[in-house]
Amino acid sequence: MSGDTLFPLQTTDVSAKVPVDHLDYDFIETCKDVKYLEKILRILRSGEEGIYPHLIKFCESHLEKLNPKSRALRKENPVATEASFSKDEWNQIVNDLMTWAEQTKETERLLKEGSGFNDLVKGEIPPVRSSSSFVPFSEKSFPKQRINPSKRILPRDYQEWDKFDVEGECEKIDGNMLKNDPPAILNTGNPNIKREVDASLLLQQEKLLLANREKDKGNEAFRANDYEEAVAYYTRSLSILATVSAYNNRAQAEIILEHWHEAMRDCQQVLELEPRNKKALLRRATVHNHMGNFQMASEDLRMVLQEEPNNPAAIQLLSKIEKKASDSLPEQQSKGKKLLIEEIEDDYYKEEQEEQRARPVQPSQPVGGERSSAAPVVRGDMGNAQKKPHSRGDGGPHTESSNSHHGHWRGKGGASDKYKVPEESKEKVANGSSKRASTASEQGDKSGSSKGTTGGGKAEEAVNLDAPCGALPPRLSRLKNEGNLLFKNGQFADALEKYSQAIQGYTDSGVDSPEDLCVLYSNRAACYLKDGNSQECIQDCTRALELQPFSLKPLLRRAMAYESLERYKKAYVDYKTVLQIDISVQAAHDSVNRITRLLIEQDGPEWRDNLPDIPLVPLSAQQHRREEPPSQEVLQARAEKATQEAERRAEIRFSAWKQEGNEFVKKGQYQEALGKYTECLKLKPKECAIYTNRALCYLKLERFPEAKQDCDTALELEPDNKKAFYRRALANKGLQDYLACSSDLQQVLQLDPNVQEAEKELEEVTVLLRQSLARSPDDKARKTVPITEVDDDEDRTDAPNTERSRAADNISVNLKASNAYEFGQSLNAARCSGNTAACAELLASTEPQMLPKYLSNQLDGNTVSFIMKALDSDLLEKNPNLVYRHLSHLHTTDRFSVVLLQLEKDERRIMTQLFEHLSAAESAEFTRDDVENLANKYV
Amino acid sequence: MSSPLSKPQIIAHIQKSLNYTVFDSKWIPCSAKFVCLGNFARGTGVIQIYEVQHGEAQLITEVEKPKPLKCGTFGASSLQQRHIATGDFDGNLHIWNLEAPDVPVYATKAHKEIVNSIDGVGGLGIGDGAPEIVTGSRDGTVKVWDPRQKDLPVANMEPVEGETRRDCWTVAFGHAFNDQDRCVCAGYDNGDVKLFDLRNMSLRWETNIKNGVCCVEFDRKDINMNKLVATSLEGKFHVFDMRTQHPTKGFASVSEKAHKSTVWQVRHLPQNRDIFMTAGGAGNLHLWKYEYPAQRSKKDSDGVDVGVAGSVNLLQNVTLSTQPIASLDWSPDKQGLCVCSGFDQSVRVLIVTKLNSA
């Protein structure tokens, strides 16, 4: 319609490029090129190839799909008339205008009446600008240049040359150069915006008008993210006329600027004017939250919810605050004061992001309450950090009260229940999944306890208790059922207590029924989750999962807890696991989607790389879930299931023991670990990893023959297990069978040439072998270097080079090295024992220029960081010069740059620390710049 | 395009045919009245005051003046007085008391030729500091006037002897956020846009947008200058982000081809500085919204701050007439109400709906 005249000049040009057969439904439909489509549309509209109204319409609609903002789609619209609106709308518009016209008439009348004393106002106006000033019109015509252009052209006379100051002239030129390139002028912030407006002489009508205008300016600045400026304008508005909305908006701007006290004052002002103003209450709650007064924050929020039970912002903030309040208690002691500042910064940053994220959603909303829904979503635990004086004591009643509140709004069935949905679906799954009496009784409660009396609930339980109930003694079952009932009633803290008692009773009674314990833990986790105590929830879930891996409820709860702590990666993994077990959990689907978006935002397109592994759910667990729905099962199936159950239980016990064994190894309690591993092997005699682990324990306990035997068994099961070889080598070494030892080590290296420990060991053993061959048997028995490996992973293919060796303390460190080998030995020994003093001494006795030679290609990340640590902690104070010299040679070592790349974050931190200290040290030998240059080579 | 009624709609509320050529129309602040300025066919000027009443515009006052009136502003007058300052074809600047419009309260021969454009600041509670009026004329000069000082401008921006004098088509005040700071922006027929800093009495910035500059306006006069829109003869307009001035690149800008012909006017919504309306030579109106970029400034390769322009979205467009619309004015009191006049010798009162949801 309008296209023909839009680009009249191009039409012929364009048509040459578009063949006629492109003016076709099929072609247009498949064409994705917006520019080309626009061309086609232009030709169609021009009618050069004939007029096809339907094709034009089709082309337009297709183009709109591809690019709704395409200019070719802009049409000339007629002016809207009464016909374009529904009757109601039209009436509203017209009436609106009428009332406005009448109101303004009244205002105008008042204005005129009051304009008697307008002469007074003139006194306030600034004076007339100083006379007639000439403003230079263009840059070429600055007056100075115009006034005496001739003088510049004149050559200097001779006398002038005598006085010529070269330096001065140069500086002038330099100065000119600089002047040509002034810095950018930034008009940001609020340079001298007057915060007070003298409105004493104005009429009421004028005041209202001006106050509104200033507020509008504030709103605009707010929308453009100039919060300082916004505050300035709101202040102006308030100085003219105090209005609720200006106070409210200023409070919001100040919250974003983190001026908590000012924001608080504004909220108070609003509440004085209007005691139940929701926005003000919400904002005051946000401020309280940030200042650490969770109690007061939740009081405010409850007020809001009383007024408007479904206010999503209030509900969200409330649940967050409750979570924080309970979280902060255990964390308080452990968190250092230092963290405080960091957290605030972090928090601020997040909030900024939050703001920006919120922006595109509702960019042009008036600043009123709508903004607040975005703003109170203030994340992070600043509250924790600030909340020092709170003690455990007053946390108790607080959680109590918030619990009851939870119950309150749950009861009301408000829109709060973001949490409720997953909860229910979980319940459903769980109920379906286990035929155990415990859940059955839960179900019973559900139907029976609607009256809510505890007594009634108990009666219900009593009936259910007699049902086949796992292996729990009646006392514990009762506790548990009471807990369930309390949970149903929303008394989470009480339920928590019951579950804790049940768990305690369980451990005391010595019943062997991990499923039941798992359920208890999982239920307690649910209580914690409800209380917002995500940390504890995670702990309980993890415990439950140790007992019964891949059980749905605890996984789901842990995922939710992780999510609420913003540990999205872990939450993601857990949700994914849940979905592997049961694909139908809608809550998990939703959360996965949500978290995926968050992670992509956080880590970019490579977010998947940073994820921890998602555990593979064994088929048994999956099938088990799938079998559930048919509630009637034949006896045979039941028997099968029973065996499955037994297997699973064995599996669980096995993994639990193994876990415990690993724990003991980590703690160095090898004897106990040995016991656990032996138990494990009773259950599963074919588990290679257990053999190797037990071998390690034997090695530690210097029971070399047994160690060797275990390694042999492991190797029978898995003929190329590196660890087994390596440990057998150590065992052989312990047995002083150096020949076997070295052959084992060679085997290890054959399997994986990168195992540095093996290499070192081999070197050492070769020497020992030579010695043992050369020397008489009565040669003084050399102490062996027992090597610990903590095998905390089930993964048997775990590369041994990640293992850490730690030398026993009784090994002596040779502190005077005269060759590379001795140096390496001593350094290794010192490093294994973590003895920085020894290392420092060793370094002190070593010539710095020899260092690279000694280290040769043996350098690795751990060594570097250890040397750094030693230099920093022990040598720097005594002899900074030596440290400097060492450092200036260390970086010339082979492979140094490669090693540098492998350094971990805290290892780098150690390094930077060292350089900081070094630069602070006084010395004649080096300057700060030297240190800096040197540091550049390292960092 | 999918949901037509969720967008702002432009309604022609009142249309009034006039018996003279109208050049400018302005709302009288704090009232439901507007002023029309123009010239009779016999070569004299006219001031008319209309009041919006029951869906009609009722003529209240009509005064004939010796010279055709080109432009007017209430910007330098107090809310109580509401005197209008006008510029005429002869280069005169007058201030009229609309209660008694027969004799001007202030009169001066401001320019040698027609006053093309006028703007005021310091009155109506807009902008701190002295009330000042700026006029731009075909004689190439831009002059700033203080109504308290007769005959002499308080600032004069004219090309030096020997430079070609360009026709100044438009002037606007801005940056008046405190007593001292104040800027005047002027647009010329050759596409020059010049920004004069009245505090330092210097030329702060200039650029050329290649085509004659029909209208310039700051999004708000009384704030730290934020945005400037300049419209041009060939249908484009430019939005400059005035917050960051790069030493060589100046201000960042975004341009949009809006109309098929000249964009005669741009006016920002007084209640929301990010929404503005442009009036075109083919009798059409376009309503735009400026969207800020995520970051309004960044560092260039030399580490100097350089502004980042946002984008403009078309909210609505309508065609009112076949003749150009030469003036447009939003009501400062009622959001969405505006008056416009065109060369078809008529004045229209428009209502724009749903500006809040835009």
Side-chain angles (χ1 to χ4, degrees):
Chain A
M1 322 180 144
S2 62
D4 47 349
T5 47
L6 241 178
F7 301 97
L9 290 176
Q10 293 169 14
T11 320
T12 47
D13 180 27
V14 161
S15 65
K17 288 181 203 156
V18 181
V20 181
D21 50 328
H22 282 179
L23 305 178
D24 176 63
Y25 284 101
D26 290 340
F27 178 81
I28 289 172
E29 186 157 28
T30 49
C31 181
K32 295 267 179 272
D33 183 355
V34 175
K35 286 253 166 73
Y36 195 70
L37 273 176
E38 282 172 3
K39 270 186 203 169
I40 291 177
L41 187 59
R42 224 169 287 140
I43 288 163
L44 283 173
R45 282 175 174 171
S46 70
E48 278 172 19
E49 307 288 346
I51 293 169
Y52 312 97
H54 286 288
L55 188 58
I56 292 174
K57 212 170 259 176
F58 178 75
C59 188
E60 279 171 359
S61 69
H62 186 61
L63 184 57
E64 194 186 332
K65 259 182 251 161
L66 293 174
N67 180 11
K69 292 192 176 170
S70 165
R71 269 183 212 165
L73 288 174
R74 283 184 194 160
K75 283 186 195 164
E76 288 176 8
N77 301 331
V79 170
T81 54
E82 191 175 344
S84 347
F85 294 89
S86 71
K87 207 174 173 189
D88 289 347
E89 279 178 307
W90 181 254
N91 284 342
Q92 203 193 331
I93 292 167
V94 173
N95 289 338
D96 198 28
L97 199 69
M98 299 263 261
T99 41
W100 169 77
E102 247 134 70
Q103 275 173 8
T104 20
K105 254 191 176 168
E106 178 66 15
T107 327
E108 203 184 357
R109 192 180 57 80
L110 289 169
L111 259 181
K112 274 180 196 161
E113 277 176 11
S115 61
F117 52 133
N118 56 25
D119 289 347
L120 288 175
V121 184
K122 282 191 176 168
E124 302 298 316
I125 298 173
V128 177
R129 213 174 276 279
S130 57
S131 76
S132 173
S133 342
F134 178 84
V135 179
F137 190 73
S138 64
E139 272 157 18
K140 290 161 269 163
S141 59
F142 279 112
K144 264 186 202 163
Q145 287 179 353
R146 255 182 334 108
I147 289 165
N148 46 4
S150 52
K151 199 179 179 186
R152 285 186 125 191
I153 300 157
L154 279 180
R156 293 170 197 274
D157 65 37
Y158 292 113
Q159 282 175 347
E160 213 177 320
W161 278 112
D162 289 340
K163 291 181 233 160
F164 190 75
D165 174 13
V166 181
E167 299 271 306
E169 290 298 303
C170 285
E171 259 170 38
K172 257 191 223 165
I173 291 163
D174 285 351
N176 281 341
M177 299 263 282
L178 283 177
K179 252 182 239 161
N180 287 340
D181 201 23
I185 304 168
L186 297 175
N187 292 331
T188 45
N190 51 341
N192 341 317
I193 295 173
K194 237 185 15 181
R195 299 214 165 203
E196 290 286 315
V197 176
D198 182 21
S200 51
L201 292 168
L202 296 179
L203 299 174
Q204 189 64 22
Q205 284 75 30
E206 284 179 285
K207 280 186 190 171
L208 198 66
L209 210 83
L210 293 186
N212 268 333
R213 190 176 299 129
E214 295 298 329
K215 199 186 74 193
D216 278 348
K217 278 154 75 177
N219 290 354
E220 285 166 358
F222 189 98
R223 276 191 293 258
N225 295 353
D226 297 327
Y227 301 115
E228 301 264 2
E229 206 178 309
V231 168
Y233 286 124
Y234 289 137
T235 312
R236 279 171 69 100
S237 173
L238 289 168
S239 78
I240 299 167
L241 200 69
T243 56
V244 166
S245 54
Y247 273 126
N248 250 339
N249 291 357
R250 190 168 72 175
Q252 184 59 51
E254 265 154 357
I255 284 172
I256 289 168
L257 290 170
E258 309 210 321
H259 298 159
W260 307 119
H261 292 282
E262 286 86 343
M264 174 65 80
R265 208 186 44 215
D266 285 344
C267 292
Q268 307 280 30
Q269 290 277 11
V270 176
L271 292 171
E272 264 171 39
L273 293 167
E274 211 177 284
R276 298 192 77 81
N277 186 301
K278 271 177 286 178
K279 280 183 207 165
L281 282 170
L282 247 174
R283 281 166 198 173
R284 192 169 69 176
T286 314
V287 176
H288 275 313
N289 174 24
H290 279 275
M291 293 167 94
N293 306 328
F294 299 127
Q295 184 81 46
M296 291 162 90
S298 49
E299 268 168 29
D300 280 348
L301 289 173
R302 246 163 269 148
M303 288 258 273
V304 176
L305 289 171
Q306 261 176 25
E307 296 273 304
E308 186 190 338
N310 293 339
N311 188 318
I315 289 162
Q316 213 174 351
L317 188 60
L318 187 63
S319 63
K320 222 163 245 170
I321 284 173
E322 275 159 12
K323 213 178 293 164
K324 247 196 254 179
S326 45
D327 266 5
S328 63
L329 294 176
E331 279 171 27
Q332 257 171 38
Q333 285 94 355
S334 59
K335 266 189 184 155
K337 216 165 194 161
K338 246 195 263 170
L339 281 174
L340 196 131
I341 294 161
E342 270 175 28
E343 275 178 31
I344 289 171
E345 276 171 1
D346 192 16
D347 196 66
Y348 182 67
Y349 177 59
K350 269 187 208 152
E351 191 175 322
E352 284 282 306
Q353 278 187 328
E354 201 72 45
E355 272 302 318
Q356 265 155 23
R357 228 177 292 150
R359 181 154 304 283
V361 185
Q362 29 179 238
S364 64
Q365 296 286 9
V367 179
E370 288 80 1
R371 295 289 312 179
S372 70
S373 61
V377 192
V378 175
R379 295 274 171 84
D381 17 26
M382 166 132 53
N384 289 350
Q386 290 188 334
K387 193 188 166 209
K388 291 295 173 207
H390 271 246
S391 67
R392 195 172 270 273
D394 68 22
H398 173 65
T399 35
E400 284 278 341
S401 64
S402 59
N403 285 339
S404 58
H405 185 69
H406 255 294
H408 166 67
W409 52 255
R410 260 179 67 98
K412 270 193 180 167
S416 59
D417 283 359
K418 195 175 145 192
Y419 293 103
K420 196 171 182 176
V421 180
E423 186 66 28
E424 268 168 5
S425 62
K426 256 189 311 181
E427 223 80 81
K428 230 183 288 158
V429 171
N431 285 344
S433 74
S434 46
K435 295 270 170 279
R436 269 172 275 124
S438 50
T439 29
S441 75
E442 234 176 69
Q443 228 162 7
D445 287 349
K446 223 179 203 168
S447 55
S449 68
S450 51
K451 277 172 200 153
T453 56
T454 330
K458 266 185 187 157
E460 202 75 37
E461 282 154 40
V463 180
N464 288 320
L465 276 180
D466 296 331
C469 174
L472 282 186
R475 192 176 61 83
L476 297 182
S477 304
R478 167 149 301 152
L479 274 173
K480 185 182 141 189
N481 289 333
E482 277 170 12
N484 289 348
L485 184 65
L486 289 168
F487 185 87
K488 287 272 157 292
N489 290 340
Q491 291 161 285
F492 304 116
D494 300 340
L496 190 85
E497 204 172 302
K498 293 287 179 204
Y499 289 133
S500 301
Q501 280 174 13
I503 290 167
Q504 187 58 42
Y506 176 89
T507 27
D508 293 347
S509 66
V511 193
D512 181 25
S513 163
E515 318 83 315
D516 287 306
L517 187 57
C518 167
V519 171
L520 284 175
Y521 273 127
S522 150
N523 285 359
R524 194 169 71 173
C527 295
Y528 280 129
L529 189 66
K530 281 287 168 197
D531 265 3
N533 189 343
S534 308
Q535 293 289 3
E536 293 283 344
C537 173
I538 290 169
Q539 257 178 34
D540 269 359
C541 289
T542 313
R543 260 179 235 144
L545 288 170
E546 270 165 23
L547 293 164
Q548 273 192 313
F550 307 120
S551 47
L552 198 75
K553 266 186 178 179
L555 262 174
L556 204 62
R557 282 177 191 152
R558 190 168 70 178
M560 284 157 78
Y562 274 135
E563 196 185 347
S564 67
L565 287 178
E566 300 188 21
R567 283 146 81 175
Y568 294 121
K569 283 173 194 159
K570 289 193 167 166
Y572 181 83
V573 168
D574 276 351
Y575 278 128
K576 272 292 191 195
T577 320
V578 167
L579 287 177
Q580 280 185 54
I581 296 166
D582 189 334
I583 195 77
S584 64
V585 184
Q586 193 52 43
H589 276 296
D590 296 348
S591 304
V592 163
N593 289 341
R594 196 169 52 239
I595 294 175
T596 309
R597 268 202 305 276
L598 279 167
L599 284 175
I600 290 173
E601 219 164 277
Q602 231 173 50
D603 298 351
E606 277 88 38
W607 62 280
R608 266 177 214 279
D609 300 347
N610 303 331
L611 279 184
D613 289 334
I614 297 169
L616 213 75
V617 175
L619 209 58
S620 62
Q622 294 174 20
Q623 276 173 346
H624 177 68
R625 299 287 168 198
R626 272 188 214 133
E627 277 165 18
E628 252 109 56
S631 51
Q632 303 302 321
E633 279 181 358
V634 241
L635 268 173
Q636 205 185 350
R638 206 172 276 173
E640 253 174 41
K641 205 175 156 192
T643 45
Q644 251 183 16
E645 193 84 346
E647 267 172 37
R648 232 181 57 199
R649 215 179 291 178
E651 177 82 35
I652 292 153
R653 220 174 302 161
F654 170 79
S655 57
W657 275 331
K658 187 176 161 191
Q659 202 73 37
E660 282 171 44
N662 291 346
E663 289 294 322
F664 281 130
V665 171
K666 272 188 212 161
K667 288 181 200 153
Q669 295 164 312
Y670 300 108
Q671 194 67 50
E672 289 85 343
L674 202 63
K676 290 289 170 193
Y677 287 138
T678 316
E679 289 285 312
C680 282
L681 287 176
K682 270 185 207 157
L683 281 172
K684 281 196 185 180
K686 298 240 176 256
E687 201 66 25
C688 177
I690 303 297
Y691 281 111
T692 53
N693 286 1
R694 194 168 71 173
L696 176 70
C697 296
Y698 280 130
L699 276 175
K700 285 294 176 186
L701 297 166
E702 305 202 5
R703 285 155 71 176
F704 299 115
E706 287 97 330
K708 193 177 167 207
Q709 207 180 353
D710 270 355
C711 290
D712 286 342
T713 326
L715 286 171
E716 264 171 40
L717 293 167
E718 239 179 79
D720 38 337
N721 186 314
K722 280 179 287 184
K723 271 186 201 175
F725 273 120
Y726 183 67
R727 285 175 191 165
R728 193 166 71 178
L730 294 179
N732 278 330
K733 192 171 150 196
L735 292 167
Q736 300 192 344
D737 186 351
Y738 297 124
L739 204 60
C741 174
S742 78
S743 79
D744 279 346
L745 287 171
Q746 271 155 7
Q747 200 77 36
V748 174
L749 290 171
Q750 222 168 28
L751 290 169
D752 184 353
N754 301 327
V755 189
Q756 286 171 356
E757 281 91 343
E759 250 175 90
K760 272 179 211 154
E761 206 63 48
L762 186 59
E763 245 172 69
E764 195 179 323
V765 168
T766 326
V767 176
L768 286 172
L769 183 61
R770 229 175 276 143
Q771 280 172 352
S772 72
L773 290 177
R775 282 180 210 169
S776 54
D778 63 2
D779 186 52
K780 99 174 167 162
R782 213 189 138 108
K783 269 269 182 189
T784 54
V785 186
I787 306 251
T788 322
E789 295 158 62
V790 176
D791 187 4
D792 52 359
D793 216 316
E794 292 175 32
D795 192 1
R796 274 165 295 161
T797 54
D798 181 13
N801 57 2
T802 60
E803 294 167 1
R804 295 260 166 102
S805 320
R806 209 181 292 146
D809 290 330
N810 56 357
I811 187 72
S812 63
V813 178
N814 182 359
L815 296 175
K816 292 255 190 269
S818 54
N819 59 31
Y821 173 69
E822 276 179 28
F823 182 83
Q825 283 287 303
S826 310
L827 186 62
N828 238 357
R831 182 165 68 90
C832 293
S833 59
N835 189 348
T836 49
C839 176
E841 223 163 297
L842 180 70
L843 288 169
S845 65
T846 312
E847 277 297 307
Q849 53 268 39
M850 294 304 281
L851 197 61
K853 212 182 273 179
Y854 284 168
L855 286 167
S856 75
N857 58 359
Q858 302 293 315
L859 198 64
D860 59 26
N862 293 337
T863 319
V864 170
S865 70
F866 180 66
I867 291 175
M868 294 288 173
K869 226 188 275 177
L871 288 174
D872 192 19
S873 61
D874 296 280
L875 205 54
L876 188 67
E877 269 178 47
K878 289 181 219 158
N879 193 349
N881 295 339
L882 188 65
V883 171
Y884 178 74
R885 266 181 284 147
H886 268 307
L887 285 173
S888 50
H889 282 98
L890 183 61
H891 70 87
T892 58
T893 315
D894 291 352
R895 297 181 66 235
F896 180 78
S897 55
V898 181
V899 170
L900 213 53
L901 289 178
Q902 298 164 348
L903 286 187
E904 310 234 336
K905 213 171 161 191
D906 35 321
E907 291 174 337
R908 285 182 195 284
R909 198 176 41 76
I910 293 171
M911 211 141 81
T912 34
Q913 238 171 23
L914 170 62
F915 280 108
E916 273 166 24
H917 292 160
L918 190 60
S919 63
E922 295 281 326
S923 169
E925 224 174 285
F926 58 88
T927 66
R928 203 162 286 185
D929 291 339
D930 291 338
V931 176
E932 218 161 89
N933 289 338
L934 192 58
N936 285 338
K937 287 177 182 141
Y938 282 83
V939 185
Chain B
M1 307 252 158
S2 46
S3 51
L5 289 178
S6 63
K7 298 196 301 181
Q9 295 292 320
I10 302 173
I11 305 164
H13 182 53
I14 300 166
Q15 178 166 357
K16 188 99 184 164
S17 286
L18 307 171
N19 59 348
Y20 58 95
T21 308
V22 57
F23 291 116
D24 206 354
S25 48
K26 283 271 182 280
W27 286 100
I28 302 176
C30 264
S31 75
K33 290 182 272 195
F34 59 89
V35 179
C36 291
L37 307 171
N39 82 318
F40 281 123
R42 53 183 173 268
T44 55
V46 58
I47 300 176
Q48 278 189 332
I49 302 173
Y50 287 91
E51 177 155 28
V52 176
Q53 267 176 339
H54 313 295
E56 273 180 67
Q58 309 238 331
L59 180 66
I60 298 175
T61 317
E62 179 179 318
V63 199
E64 197 169 345
K65 295 291 165 197
K67 293 289 169 197
L69 297 169
K70 180 68 181 28
C71 49
T73 181
F74 286 97
S77 163
S78 78
L79 265 179
Q80 292 168 16
Q81 293 175 325
R82 287 172 294 164
H83 293 170
I84 190 170
T86 62
D88 69 15
F89 273 39
D90 222 19
N92 292 309
L93 170 66
H94 294 287
I95 298 179
W96 309 93
N97 180 1
L98 291 174
E99 304 283 316
D102 296 327
V103 201
V105 292
Y106 178 94
T108 186
K109 172 85 176 160
H111 295 275
K112 288 176 209 134
E113 286 176 81
I114 177 176
V115 178
N116 281 322
S117 177
I118 191 166
D119 195 18
V121 77
L124 308 177
I126 298 178
D128 294 327
E132 280 177 341
I133 294 164
V134 61
T135 52
S137 159
R138 188 180 288 163
D139 67 7
T141 61
V142 173
K143 290 178 183 170
V144 180
W145 307 87
D146 191 310
R148 295 167 292 175
Q149 175 175 301
K150 270 241 175 214
D151 297 332
L152 266 182
V154 293
N156 183 6
M157 288 145 273
E158 63 175 327
V160 288
E161 293 296 323
E163 272 182 61
T164 45
R165 291 178 172 259
R166 307 304 320 206
D167 188 348
C168 175
W169 280 353
T170 175
V171 288
F173 269 120
H175 203 48
F177 63 99
N178 60 20
D179 286 355
Q180 299 93 37
D181 281 290
R182 196 164 282 190
C183 280
V184 167
C185 187
Y188 297 84
D189 65 338
N190 62 348
D192 275 351
V193 177
K194 291 176 193 276
L195 182 68
F196 302 101
D197 188 333
L198 292 186
R199 184 184 192 170
N200 303 325
M201 288 295 172
S202 65
L203 176 74
R204 176 154 175 186
W205 167 73
E206 64 181 329
T207 189
N208 188 291
I209 61 169
K210 295 200 187 88
N211 273 285
V213 186
C214 297
C215 186
V216 290
E217 196 188 43
F218 285 96
D219 57 354
R220 258 186 198 282
K221 292 174 192 171
D222 54 343
I223 54 169
N224 189 357
M225 60 179 169
N226 184 50
K227 291 198 316 285
L228 175 81
V229 178
T231 70
S232 73
L233 203 58
E234 99 307 10
K236 265 191 180 175
F237 67 86
H238 302 253
V239 187
F240 295 92
D241 185 311
M242 304 301 275
R243 281 291 159 96
T244 313
Q245 185 177 5
H246 187 272
T248 53
K249 292 176 192 144
F251 299 107
S253 75
V254 59
S255 74
E256 177 78 18
K257 172 133 179 113
H259 300 255
K260 276 165 272 168
S261 52
T262 309
V263 190
W264 283 100
Q265 279 275 343
V266 57
R267 286 288 175 254
H268 287 85
L269 187 66
Q271 290 82 9
N272 185 349
R273 67 181 185 192
D274 299 327
I275 293 176
F276 55 94
M277 182 108 92
T278 55
N284 41 21
L285 296 175
H286 285 56
L287 186 68
W288 305 89
K289 182 162 197 273
Y290 183 82
E291 304 281 359
Y292 292 100
Q295 290 293 325
R296 290 185 69 181
S297 72
K298 61 179 185 200
K299 301 272 181 203
D300 69 358
S301 51
D302 302 327
V304 185
D305 284 294
V306 54
V308 180
S311 58
V312 282
N313 283 341
L314 180 66
L315 297 179
Q316 185 58 277
N317 63 317
V318 295
T319 308
L320 283 179
S321 140
T322 53
Q323 295 298 309
I325 294 177
S327 83
L328 180 75
D329 191 40
W330 293 100
S331 162
D333 306 299
K334 173 76 182 157
Q335 174 170 307
L337 192 63
C338 70
V339 59
C340 68
S341 61
F343 293 154
D344 56 355
Q345 295 210 342
S346 62
V347 62
R348 292 175 178 84
V349 176
L350 309 174
I351 302 171
V352 183
T353 63
K354 297 196 177 70
L355 282 167
N356 273 338
S357 59

